[in-house]
mmCIF file of all heavy atoms in Angstrom:
data_model
loop_
_atom_site.group_PDB
_atom_site.id
_atom_site.type_symbol
_atom_site.label_atom_id
_atom_site.label_comp_id
_atom_site.label_asym_id
_atom_site.label_seq_id
_atom_site.Cartn_x
_atom_site.Cartn_y
_atom_site.Cartn_z
ATOM 1 N N ASP A 426 30.802 -17.037 -74.605
ATOM 2 C CA ASP A 426 31.537 -17.002 -75.866
ATOM 3 C C ASP A 426 32.434 -18.216 -76.017
ATOM 4 O O ASP A 426 32.617 -18.745 -77.127
ATOM 5 C CB ASP A 426 32.363 -15.729 -75.946
ATOM 6 C CG ASP A 426 31.485 -14.484 -75.899
ATOM 7 O OD1 ASP A 426 30.312 -14.588 -76.305
ATOM 8 O OD2 ASP A 426 31.964 -13.429 -75.456
ATOM 9 N N ARG A 427 33.016 -18.692 -74.906
ATOM 10 C CA ARG A 427 33.864 -19.882 -74.976
ATOM 11 C C ARG A 427 33.056 -21.109 -75.391
ATOM 12 O O ARG A 427 33.505 -21.921 -76.206
ATOM 13 C CB ARG A 427 34.525 -20.126 -73.622
ATOM 14 C CG ARG A 427 35.525 -19.047 -73.219
ATOM 15 C CD ARG A 427 36.169 -19.385 -71.893
ATOM 16 N NE ARG A 427 37.087 -18.343 -71.458
ATOM 17 C CZ ARG A 427 37.786 -18.396 -70.342
ATOM 18 N NH1 ARG A 427 37.674 -19.451 -69.532
ATOM 19 N NH2 ARG A 427 38.600 -17.400 -70.012
ATOM 20 N N ILE A 428 31.872 -21.248 -74.795
ATOM 21 C CA ILE A 428 31.029 -22.393 -75.148
ATOM 22 C C ILE A 428 30.631 -22.338 -76.616
ATOM 23 O O ILE A 428 30.649 -23.354 -77.331
ATOM 24 C CB ILE A 428 29.793 -22.439 -74.235
ATOM 25 C CG1 ILE A 428 30.220 -22.667 -72.770
ATOM 26 C CG2 ILE A 428 28.819 -23.510 -74.676
ATOM 27 C CD1 ILE A 428 29.082 -22.613 -71.795
ATOM 28 N N ALA A 429 30.258 -21.134 -77.102
ATOM 29 C CA ALA A 429 29.875 -21.010 -78.513
ATOM 30 C C ALA A 429 31.045 -21.337 -79.435
ATOM 31 O O ALA A 429 30.874 -21.963 -80.484
ATOM 32 C CB ALA A 429 29.368 -19.588 -78.773
ATOM 33 N N ARG A 430 32.258 -20.910 -79.058
ATOM 34 C CA ARG A 430 33.434 -21.216 -79.870
ATOM 35 C C ARG A 430 33.694 -22.720 -79.907
ATOM 36 O O ARG A 430 34.028 -23.286 -80.966
ATOM 37 C CB ARG A 430 34.637 -20.478 -79.300
ATOM 38 C CG ARG A 430 35.942 -20.775 -80.018
ATOM 39 C CD ARG A 430 37.019 -19.780 -79.619
ATOM 40 N NE ARG A 430 37.145 -19.703 -78.183
ATOM 41 C CZ ARG A 430 37.858 -20.553 -77.450
ATOM 42 N NH1 ARG A 430 38.483 -21.569 -78.050
ATOM 43 N NH2 ARG A 430 37.950 -20.412 -76.147
ATOM 44 N N ASN A 431 33.560 -23.410 -78.785
ATOM 45 C CA ASN A 431 33.763 -24.866 -78.754
ATOM 46 C C ASN A 431 32.732 -25.593 -79.602
ATOM 47 O O ASN A 431 33.025 -26.590 -80.277
ATOM 48 C CB ASN A 431 33.721 -25.366 -77.317
ATOM 49 C CG ASN A 431 34.880 -24.835 -76.489
ATOM 50 O OD1 ASN A 431 35.903 -24.459 -77.046
ATOM 51 N ND2 ASN A 431 34.702 -24.811 -75.171
ATOM 52 N N VAL A 432 31.476 -25.122 -79.560
ATOM 53 C CA VAL A 432 30.424 -25.755 -80.370
ATOM 54 C C VAL A 432 30.715 -25.603 -81.858
ATOM 55 O O VAL A 432 30.523 -26.517 -82.663
ATOM 56 C CB VAL A 432 29.058 -25.154 -79.992
ATOM 57 C CG1 VAL A 432 27.984 -25.611 -80.975
ATOM 58 C CG2 VAL A 432 28.669 -25.568 -78.587
ATOM 59 N N ARG A 433 31.208 -24.433 -82.253
ATOM 60 C CA ARG A 433 31.542 -24.227 -83.666
ATOM 61 C C ARG A 433 32.682 -25.126 -84.114
ATOM 62 O O ARG A 433 32.722 -25.558 -85.266
ATOM 63 C CB ARG A 433 31.903 -22.760 -83.900
ATOM 64 C CG ARG A 433 30.716 -21.810 -83.833
ATOM 65 C CD ARG A 433 31.087 -20.452 -84.395
ATOM 66 N NE ARG A 433 32.170 -19.825 -83.649
ATOM 67 C CZ ARG A 433 32.002 -19.040 -82.602
ATOM 68 N NH1 ARG A 433 30.769 -18.774 -82.173
ATOM 69 N NH2 ARG A 433 33.045 -18.515 -81.995
ATOM 70 N N GLU A 434 33.620 -25.418 -83.197
ATOM 71 C CA GLU A 434 34.756 -26.260 -83.580
ATOM 72 C C GLU A 434 34.354 -27.721 -83.774
ATOM 73 O O GLU A 434 34.806 -28.384 -84.699
ATOM 74 C CB GLU A 434 35.844 -26.153 -82.518
ATOM 75 C CG GLU A 434 36.513 -24.786 -82.485
ATOM 76 C CD GLU A 434 37.560 -24.714 -81.389
ATOM 77 O OE1 GLU A 434 37.711 -25.722 -80.668
ATOM 78 O OE2 GLU A 434 38.216 -23.662 -81.266
ATOM 79 N N ILE A 435 33.500 -28.250 -82.888
ATOM 80 C CA ILE A 435 33.144 -29.674 -82.969
ATOM 81 C C ILE A 435 31.853 -29.898 -83.723
ATOM 82 O O ILE A 435 31.490 -31.030 -84.023
ATOM 83 C CB ILE A 435 33.005 -30.270 -81.560
ATOM 84 C CG1 ILE A 435 31.842 -29.605 -80.817
ATOM 85 C CG2 ILE A 435 34.290 -30.107 -80.785
ATOM 86 C CD1 ILE A 435 31.594 -30.220 -79.448
ATOM 87 N N GLY A 436 31.132 -28.843 -84.045
ATOM 88 C CA GLY A 436 29.883 -28.977 -84.774
ATOM 89 C C GLY A 436 28.694 -29.072 -83.868
ATOM 90 O O GLY A 436 28.777 -29.567 -82.751
ATOM 91 N N GLY A 437 27.562 -28.619 -84.321
ATOM 92 C CA GLY A 437 26.355 -28.655 -83.510
ATOM 93 C C GLY A 437 25.327 -27.698 -84.056
ATOM 94 O O GLY A 437 25.632 -26.774 -84.803
ATOM 95 N N GLY A 438 24.103 -27.912 -83.693
ATOM 96 C CA GLY A 438 23.044 -27.007 -84.082
ATOM 97 C C GLY A 438 22.672 -27.158 -85.543
ATOM 98 O O GLY A 438 22.773 -28.220 -86.153
ATOM 99 N N ARG A 439 22.251 -26.068 -86.200
ATOM 100 C CA ARG A 439 21.778 -26.096 -87.580
ATOM 101 C C ARG A 439 22.907 -26.430 -88.548
ATOM 102 O O ARG A 439 22.731 -27.177 -89.519
ATOM 103 C CB ARG A 439 21.164 -24.750 -87.930
ATOM 104 C CG ARG A 439 20.653 -24.665 -89.355
ATOM 105 C CD ARG A 439 19.990 -23.334 -89.603
ATOM 106 N NE ARG A 439 18.863 -23.164 -88.726
ATOM 107 C CZ ARG A 439 18.110 -22.054 -88.725
ATOM 108 N NH1 ARG A 439 18.402 -21.053 -89.528
ATOM 109 N NH2 ARG A 439 17.094 -21.963 -87.891
ATOM 110 N N ALA A 440 24.104 -25.908 -88.261
ATOM 111 C CA ALA A 440 25.222 -26.189 -89.163
ATOM 112 C C ALA A 440 25.582 -27.668 -89.163
ATOM 113 O O ALA A 440 25.886 -28.270 -90.200
ATOM 114 C CB ALA A 440 26.437 -25.354 -88.752
ATOM 115 N N THR A 441 25.575 -28.293 -88.021
ATOM 116 C CA THR A 441 25.886 -29.724 -87.928
ATOM 117 C C THR A 441 24.851 -30.564 -88.660
ATOM 118 O O THR A 441 25.182 -31.514 -89.376
ATOM 119 C CB THR A 441 25.961 -30.134 -86.457
ATOM 120 O OG1 THR A 441 26.938 -29.338 -85.814
ATOM 121 C CG2 THR A 441 26.334 -31.597 -86.320
ATOM 122 N N ALA A 442 23.582 -30.244 -88.488
ATOM 123 C CA ALA A 442 22.529 -31.014 -89.167
ATOM 124 C C ALA A 442 22.630 -30.874 -90.677
ATOM 125 O O ALA A 442 22.466 -31.839 -91.428
ATOM 126 C CB ALA A 442 21.163 -30.533 -88.664
ATOM 127 N N LYS A 443 22.927 -29.661 -91.118
ATOM 128 C CA LYS A 443 23.032 -29.450 -92.568
ATOM 129 C C LYS A 443 24.217 -30.212 -93.141
ATOM 130 O O LYS A 443 24.130 -30.837 -94.202
ATOM 131 C CB LYS A 443 23.178 -27.952 -92.831
ATOM 132 C CG LYS A 443 23.248 -27.617 -94.319
ATOM 133 C CD LYS A 443 23.310 -26.115 -94.502
ATOM 134 C CE LYS A 443 23.369 -25.766 -95.996
ATOM 135 N NZ LYS A 443 23.454 -24.305 -96.191
ATOM 136 N N THR A 444 25.348 -30.213 -92.446
ATOM 137 C CA THR A 444 26.536 -30.938 -92.904
ATOM 138 C C THR A 444 26.282 -32.436 -92.949
ATOM 139 O O THR A 444 26.693 -33.144 -93.879
ATOM 140 C CB THR A 444 27.717 -30.621 -91.983
ATOM 141 O OG1 THR A 444 27.908 -29.211 -91.960
ATOM 142 C CG2 THR A 444 28.991 -31.296 -92.479
ATOM 143 N N PHE A 445 25.574 -32.966 -91.932
ATOM 144 C CA PHE A 445 25.266 -34.393 -91.898
ATOM 145 C C PHE A 445 24.396 -34.794 -93.077
ATOM 146 O O PHE A 445 24.622 -35.828 -93.723
ATOM 147 C CB PHE A 445 24.577 -34.698 -90.574
ATOM 148 C CG PHE A 445 24.144 -36.136 -90.424
ATOM 149 C CD1 PHE A 445 25.064 -37.127 -90.139
ATOM 150 C CD2 PHE A 445 22.803 -36.485 -90.588
ATOM 151 C CE1 PHE A 445 24.662 -38.434 -90.002
ATOM 152 C CE2 PHE A 445 22.403 -37.797 -90.468
ATOM 153 C CZ PHE A 445 23.336 -38.780 -90.169
ATOM 154 N N ALA A 446 23.408 -33.980 -93.396
ATOM 155 C CA ALA A 446 22.517 -34.302 -94.517
ATOM 156 C C ALA A 446 23.262 -34.251 -95.843
ATOM 157 O O ALA A 446 23.093 -35.109 -96.714
ATOM 158 C CB ALA A 446 21.336 -33.327 -94.523
ATOM 159 N N GLU A 447 24.117 -33.231 -96.021
ATOM 160 C CA GLU A 447 24.861 -33.129 -97.265
ATOM 161 C C GLU A 447 25.829 -34.295 -97.429
ATOM 162 O O GLU A 447 26.037 -34.816 -98.529
ATOM 163 C CB GLU A 447 25.601 -31.800 -97.301
ATOM 164 C CG GLU A 447 24.663 -30.598 -97.409
ATOM 165 C CD GLU A 447 25.435 -29.293 -97.362
ATOM 166 O OE1 GLU A 447 26.658 -29.351 -97.083
ATOM 167 O OE2 GLU A 447 24.829 -28.238 -97.607
ATOM 168 N N ARG A 448 26.469 -34.733 -96.328
ATOM 169 C CA ARG A 448 27.409 -35.838 -96.416
ATOM 170 C C ARG A 448 26.711 -37.136 -96.800
ATOM 171 O O ARG A 448 27.205 -37.901 -97.628
ATOM 172 C CB ARG A 448 28.126 -35.983 -95.073
ATOM 173 C CG ARG A 448 29.189 -37.070 -95.100
ATOM 174 C CD ARG A 448 30.048 -37.058 -93.842
ATOM 175 N NE ARG A 448 29.248 -37.312 -92.658
ATOM 176 C CZ ARG A 448 28.998 -36.386 -91.736
ATOM 177 N NH1 ARG A 448 29.500 -35.170 -91.878
ATOM 178 N NH2 ARG A 448 28.247 -36.682 -90.700
ATOM 179 N N ASN A 449 25.553 -37.417 -96.229
ATOM 180 C CA ASN A 449 24.808 -38.632 -96.564
ATOM 181 C C ASN A 449 24.280 -38.586 -97.995
ATOM 182 O O ASN A 449 24.244 -39.606 -98.703
ATOM 183 C CB ASN A 449 23.655 -38.823 -95.591
ATOM 184 C CG ASN A 449 24.141 -39.244 -94.210
ATOM 185 O OD1 ASN A 449 25.078 -40.026 -94.102
ATOM 186 N ND2 ASN A 449 23.507 -38.730 -93.178
ATOM 187 N N ALA A 450 23.869 -37.405 -98.413
ATOM 188 C CA ALA A 450 23.367 -37.288 -99.788
ATOM 189 C C ALA A 450 24.479 -37.526 -100.796
ATOM 190 O O ALA A 450 24.294 -38.184 -101.834
ATOM 191 C CB ALA A 450 22.749 -35.901 -99.983
ATOM 192 N N ALA A 451 25.672 -36.991 -100.481
ATOM 193 C CA ALA A 451 26.804 -37.212 -101.397
ATOM 194 C C ALA A 451 27.202 -38.684 -101.440
ATOM 195 O O ALA A 451 27.529 -39.230 -102.494
ATOM 196 C CB ALA A 451 27.992 -36.349 -100.959
ATOM 197 N N ARG A 452 27.187 -39.358 -100.285
ATOM 198 C CA ARG A 452 27.524 -40.779 -100.249
ATOM 199 C C ARG A 452 26.513 -41.593 -101.028
ATOM 200 O O ARG A 452 26.872 -42.555 -101.732
ATOM 201 C CB ARG A 452 27.587 -41.253 -98.796
ATOM 202 C CG ARG A 452 27.959 -42.725 -98.654
ATOM 203 C CD ARG A 452 27.935 -43.151 -97.207
ATOM 204 N NE ARG A 452 28.894 -42.364 -96.440
ATOM 205 C CZ ARG A 452 29.015 -42.468 -95.119
ATOM 206 N NH1 ARG A 452 28.228 -43.325 -94.460
ATOM 207 N NH2 ARG A 452 29.906 -41.736 -94.487
#
Side-chain angles (χ1 to χ4, degrees):
D426 299 333
R427 294 182 182 181
I428 296 175
R430 177 167 52 83
N431 294 337
V432 170
R433 288 194 299 271
E434 291 178 358
I435 64 176
R439 179 177 299 179
T441 302
K443 182 177 180 181
T444 304
F445 177 76
E447 292 177 351
R448 183 171 62 249
N449 288 322
R452 181 183 300 175

